[in-house]
Amino acid sequence: MEQILQEIQKSPIIAFTILLLVILIVPPIFERLRLPGLVGLLTAGIFLGPDGLGVLNAESENMKLLSDIGKIYLMFVAGLEIDLEDFRRTKNRSLGFGIATFLIPLIFGMTVGRFFNFGWNASILIGSLLASHTLLGFPIITRLGVTSNQAVTVTIGATIFTDIAALLVLAICVSISAGEFSIASVVMQLAILAIYSVVILVGFDWAGKEYFRRTGDEQSNQFLFVLLAVFLASVGAQIVNVDRIVGAFLAGLAVNDVVGHSPVEEKVEFVGSTLFIPFFFVNMGLLINLSGFVSSLSSELLLTLGIVGALISSKFLAAFTAKLLYGYNWNETLTMWSLSLPQVAATLAAALVGKNAGIITDSVFNTVIVLMLVTAILGPVLTEKFGRNLTVPQANLPKNPQNYQLDAEDVDLDLDNNNDNFIYQNLFKVIVPIYNPNTARYLIEMGALLAHHEKGIVVPLSIPKAHVYMDEPELKVSIKRSKLLLQQAITISEEFQAQAQPLIRIDDDLARGISRAAREQNADLIVMGWSPNSSLQARLFGNIIDNVFWSAHCPVAVMRLLDKPINIHRILVPVRSITPQILRVIQFAQLFADTNEAAVTLLQVCPRKTIDKEIALFESELSSLLNQSKSPKEVLIQTIRQDDVAKVIINQASAYDMVILRSFRRRTAGGLAVSDVTSKVLSEISCSMVLFGEPNSG
């Protein structure tokens, strides 16, 4: 029998198979008993470890590897789950509660440590173990739909401060234990850590956004990029002499904005929660010496009660301090307390580091396990109890709410697909995505003018961002906001005697939502806004514009309208050569000119050495093509000899109301292919502008 166990322990495949079996079977059993699944994994580790069947060995290389990956992944997901947008809105209160829920438990833990005759280093580490917390109750809060309650948001934001501060204390305690402590070394360590943190938080965020922008829908490569970021940050943490879990947590914060609530985030968390993180908890069970655990509890019962009591009372005192400072009611205060109780992720990982470094004893480590078991059960139970009584604040309406005269509940839009929709199937359709009520008017006016001229319809489109659960309050608020915007769009369309067919589409990606809606509606044109507040690079290569240009089945007109469309009467279209693509740009210009009695001028800028015969031939061919157009409006052709094309266009644009430029629908490393001339013109012209692109253009 002993020989068989040794063979099992030596075989990585057998050990991996056993772990998969444990992860599959054990957590559901414990959850049926109304106990957290992670408690089951710890129990399974004890049962399969040295004090049980002896099937798995925590000292084997494969178990160490899997456990290390699980520990790193656990801290990464903890950073990834923090909602940075909510944190930014309540950062001052989050900082206040974070300081309270860190310092008060730290002082209580240090007091307990000193009372039981531990050294200062060990006592400080014990205090830091109580100072952090794990958001085990967050899924409950999400299910109850009260995540937007400020007390909840503040508690989540405070996690950033408590976990990072606790990990910093851990790093200092480990260096003290190794005999490397001095004031200079601590200052140097903090400086190196600060630089390292900036590199991770800023550098990884930038690199992630760039990589995701350039890879589009390649989720498999994006998933691998996220994994690489996690382990690069962990390796970097080791290089700067801090624990790997610090790097993993910072990596989670760094890519938080990048992955958002995207499918990539779901895959990252799915792989972690399914495989790596459970491996870590099973290995924690393997490390528990059951006989020593029982003897420690019996001989160190007062220590166990002291640490558990210190945590529960200190976390309550921190929440009560927040109540006094910020005026929260009792349900909010008790919810903050319950959310900050569970000691799982950072606490267990840090305790293991402290134990391996010889700072804390086995009795303290076993007490931490008891602490984890108690708080992992008590925290979610209390969160469920008090979270039900929380209230959600009224959702904020868009800026300038005076533009809206109807309450969202009173807006009655016909958004259903009914049998009457076949009437619209063969009509000219203009899709107008809208979001900002302050810029949507001109876009809707443009779409309405085009639709009215073509005896078609304008389709105002609003896209609420999709959530994991369709009953989330945030989604409901977004839909109400969309209805308000669409009601405004209908009113504007009626002013221009255009038929409007409003559309709401829930999607997790704005660009794909626009392209898919346009395809479903069989649209003939997409009219999009171009934010004047963005940089030129963001305007041209931002995710939404770039991806809509790339994926749309119909022409796309991205517009920067500085005046009402009905006030645009002089249109300039630069023409470099006669191609089918530029002819369609001209047709678009003629279409808009016909709606508004505007004049179109085609501008050709040729080199100074161009002879008159070549110019005359170009103008003759262009005039011949224009004569075949159905537009009754006469189009002027102007030719200027000049080597600096952009300078000529910019100078001529000052005499016009709008310039229409062509974009290329060809992928490059940076996004859409836009010439240097176009880039310069876009950055310097002072009139309205349209960047026109179409499918299959190159």
Side-chain angles (χ1 to χ4, degrees):
M1 183 66 180
E2 186 174 338
Q3 185 176 359
I4 295 175
L5 290 177
Q6 289 178 353
E7 290 298 322
I8 292 175
Q9 292 178 357
K10 290 180 181 179
S11 173
I13 297 298
I14 295 177
F16 190 77
T17 304
I18 293 173
L19 285 172
L20 291 179
L21 188 64
V22 168
I23 294 169
L24 178 66
I25 295 175
V26 174
I29 294 175
F30 273 71
E31 287 169 2
R32 284 181 175 273
L33 299 174
R34 299 187 179 277
L35 293 173
L38 60 89
V39 176
L41 295 174
L42 283 167
T43 304
I46 296 171
F47 182 72
L48 297 173
D51 285 348
L53 298 178
V55 175
L56 299 178
N57 181 11
E59 300 301 320
S60 65
E61 290 299 321
N62 57 306
M63 282 304 304
K64 287 182 178 179
L65 174 63
L66 294 174
S67 176
D68 284 346
I69 294 175
K71 179 172 66 174
I72 291 170
Y73 219 103
L74 182 65
M75 293 308 301
F76 168 69
V77 172
L80 190 64
E81 287 183 346
I82 293 174
D83 191 323
L84 295 182
E85 286 301 320
D86 286 341
F87 164 68
R88 292 184 185 111
R89 288 194 293 267
T90 59
K91 58 181 180 294
N92 292 333
R93 294 192 173 194
S94 294
L95 177 60
F97 179 61
I99 293 174
T101 198
F102 173 79
L103 287 181
I104 296 175
L106 178 68
I107 294 171
F108 273 51
M110 289 172 55
T111 303
V112 170
R114 294 298 294 163
F115 180 82
F116 286 95
N117 298 319
F118 287 100
W120 277 107
N121 197 32
S123 297
I124 292 173
L125 182 57
I126 291 172
S128 72
L129 295 178
L130 306 188
S132 63
H133 59 261
T134 305
L135 297 172
L136 281 187
F138 186 70
I140 298 172
I141 291 295
T142 303
R143 178 168 51 81
L144 294 175
V146 292
T147 53
S148 58
N149 183 281
Q150 189 184 94
V152 174
T153 302
V154 166
T155 307
I156 296 170
T159 306
I160 298 176
F161 301 106
T162 59
D163 284 10
I164 290 180
L167 295 174
L168 279 173
V169 173
L170 170 66
I172 293 173
C173 289
V174 170
S175 65
I176 292 174
S177 177
E180 302 170 356
F181 175 77
S182 67
I183 298 298
S185 66
V186 170
V187 173
M188 180 65 69
Q189 180 67 44
L190 290 176
I192 293 173
L193 183 59
I195 296 171
Y196 165 78
S197 300
V198 171
V199 170
I200 298 298
L201 293 174
V202 177
F204 279 33
D205 179 66
W206 173 84
K209 288 177 179 176
E210 284 294 307
Y211 187 83
F212 272 54
R213 177 177 61 79
R214 299 188 182 199
T215 53
D217 296 333
E218 298 175 13
Q219 294 181 15
S220 57
N221 286 340
Q222 292 172 355
F223 173 77
L224 292 175
F225 175 86
V226 171
L227 283 187
L228 179 62
V230 176
F231 289 99
L232 274 178
S234 299
V235 171
Q238 287 183 291
I239 294 174
V240 300
N241 199 30
V242 296
D243 194 82
R244 289 167 294 189
I245 57 180
V246 176
F249 187 77
L250 290 176
L253 294 178
V255 302
N256 197 311
D257 275 337
V258 178
V259 299
H261 295 292
S262 66
V264 176
E265 182 198 33
E266 295 177 9
K267 289 178 173 62
V268 168
E269 294 191 355
F270 173 79
V271 171
S273 61
T274 304
L275 284 178
F276 297 128
I277 295 175
F279 290 159
F280 171 67
F281 283 111
V282 173
N283 191 70
M284 290 293 295
L286 296 176
L287 293 172
I288 296 175
N289 185 321
L290 193 58
S291 57
F293 180 69
V294 174
S295 63
S296 295
L297 287 182
S298 58
S299 61
E300 303 288 347
L301 180 60
L302 290 179
L303 174 64
T304 302
L305 293 176
I307 289 179
V308 173
L311 172 79
I312 294 175
S313 58
S314 62
K315 290 293 184 181
F316 175 80
L317 184 57
F320 184 72
T321 301
K323 170 181 168 60
L324 296 178
L325 291 176
Y326 307 128
Y328 296 130
N329 60 43
W330 274 112
N331 284 318
E332 291 171 330
T333 302
L334 294 173
T335 301
M336 295 175 76
W337 173 52
S338 66
L339 283 173
S340 61
L341 272 180
Q343 305 294 301
V344 179
T347 304
L348 283 178
L352 183 58
V353 172
K355 177 177 177 292
N356 292 337
I359 302 174
I360 60 174
T361 62
D362 288 343
S363 61
V364 174
F365 182 77
N366 289 334
T367 298
V368 170
I369 299 299
V370 175
L371 180 70
M372 187 278 297
L373 294 175
V374 172
T375 58
I377 296 171
L378 183 62
V381 170
L382 294 177
T383 300
E384 179 87 30
K385 176 180 176 59
F386 301 120
R388 291 183 178 277
N389 301 321
L390 294 182
T391 57
V392 180
Q394 281 290 90
N396 293 324
L397 289 176
K399 293 181 180 179
N400 297 333
Q402 62 270 23
N403 293 336
Y404 303 100
Q405 298 180 1
L406 289 173
D407 184 76
E409 298 290 354
D410 299 326
V411 178
D412 185 14
L413 299 178
D414 183 12
L415 300 172
D416 298 326
N417 292 323
N418 52 52
N419 294 330
D420 295 330
N421 281 344
F422 77 93
I423 298 174
Y424 303 121
Q425 290 179 359
N426 297 320
L427 295 179
F428 182 89
K429 286 188 178 181
V430 183
I431 294 279
V432 185
I434 54 177
Y435 177 77
N436 186 345
N438 298 317
T439 59
R441 168 171 274 279
Y442 288 173
L443 295 175
I444 294 296
E445 289 181 4
M446 175 67 78
L449 281 171
L450 296 172
H452 177 69
H453 179 270
E454 294 298 300
K455 296 181 174 58
I457 60 173
V458 59
V459 182
L461 170 66
S462 184
I463 302 181
K465 201 70 180 289
H467 294 260
V468 176
Y469 301 104
M470 290 295 101
D471 60 346
E472 289 188 0
E474 293 86 352
L475 181 58
K476 184 178 179 181
V477 170
S478 297
I479 292 174
K480 287 183 179 181
R481 180 183 185 279
S482 294
K483 289 184 177 181
L484 287 169
L485 289 172
L486 294 180
Q487 181 61 42
Q488 183 188 35
I490 293 173
T491 303
I492 297 171
S493 301
E494 291 174 350
E495 294 175 7
F496 291 84
Q497 300 178 345
Q499 176 70 44
Q501 184 184 353
L503 178 64
I504 289 179
R505 179 191 177 94
I506 299 173
D507 209 305
D508 58 2
D509 184 271
L510 294 178
R512 287 198 292 264
I514 294 169
S515 300
R516 291 165 180 167
R519 175 72 273 187
E520 292 167 358
Q521 296 294 317
N522 196 26
D524 299 281
L525 177 68
I526 299 174
V527 172
M528 295 180 63
W530 189 338
S531 172
N533 296 322
S534 302
S535 65
L536 177 63
Q537 181 180 3
R539 294 175 190 171
L540 293 178
F541 306 122
N543 283 333
I544 297 177
I545 294 175
D546 180 30
N547 290 331
V548 171
F549 264 115
W550 176 248
S551 59
H553 78 289
C554 63
V556 180
V558 179
M559 302 186 178
R560 183 187 65 188
L561 299 175
L562 304 182
D563 198 357
K564 295 181 178 181
I566 57 174
N567 294 334
I568 296 175
H569 299 291
R570 295 164 299 174
I571 303 172
L572 181 67
V573 182
V575 178
R576 185 178 61 180
S577 58
I578 300 175
T579 63
Q581 291 78 21
I582 197 63
L583 289 178
R584 283 187 280 270
V585 175
I586 296 172
Q587 289 171 0
F588 172 77
Q590 289 178 300
L591 171 62
F592 175 67
D594 288 347
T595 68
N596 204 33
E597 297 297 318
V600 177
T601 299
L602 305 182
L603 174 64
Q604 183 204 13
V605 182
C606 59
R608 291 181 183 273
K609 297 182 180 180
T610 306
I611 61 176
D612 293 340
K613 185 177 179 180
E614 291 179 355
I615 294 175
L617 179 61
F618 178 87
E619 292 180 351
S620 174
E621 291 177 351
L622 189 55
S623 296
S624 176
L625 292 171
L626 291 174
N627 290 335
Q628 301 174 15
S629 171
K630 298 180 181 180
S631 174
K633 296 292 294 181
E634 182 180 357
V635 176
L636 301 177
I637 301 175
Q638 181 181 6
T639 302
I640 297 178
R641 289 186 177 94
Q642 178 62 261
D643 294 328
D644 191 342
V645 179
K647 182 179 180 180
V648 173
I649 297 175
I650 294 168
N651 290 337
Q652 292 296 312
S654 61
Y656 290 84
D657 302 317
M658 174 185 283
V659 175
I660 302 179
L661 302 167
R662 178 198 169 210
S663 75
F664 300 86
R665 182 182 166 173
R666 181 174 71 248
R667 281 282 190 180
T668 68
L672 294 176
V674 179
S675 69
D676 293 337
V677 171
T678 301
S679 299
K680 186 175 181 180
V681 171
L682 292 174
S683 64
E684 297 189 25
I685 60 173
S686 57
C687 61
S688 295
M689 176 278 304
V690 175
L691 188 63
F692 187 86
E694 59 177 336
N696 304 318
S697 63

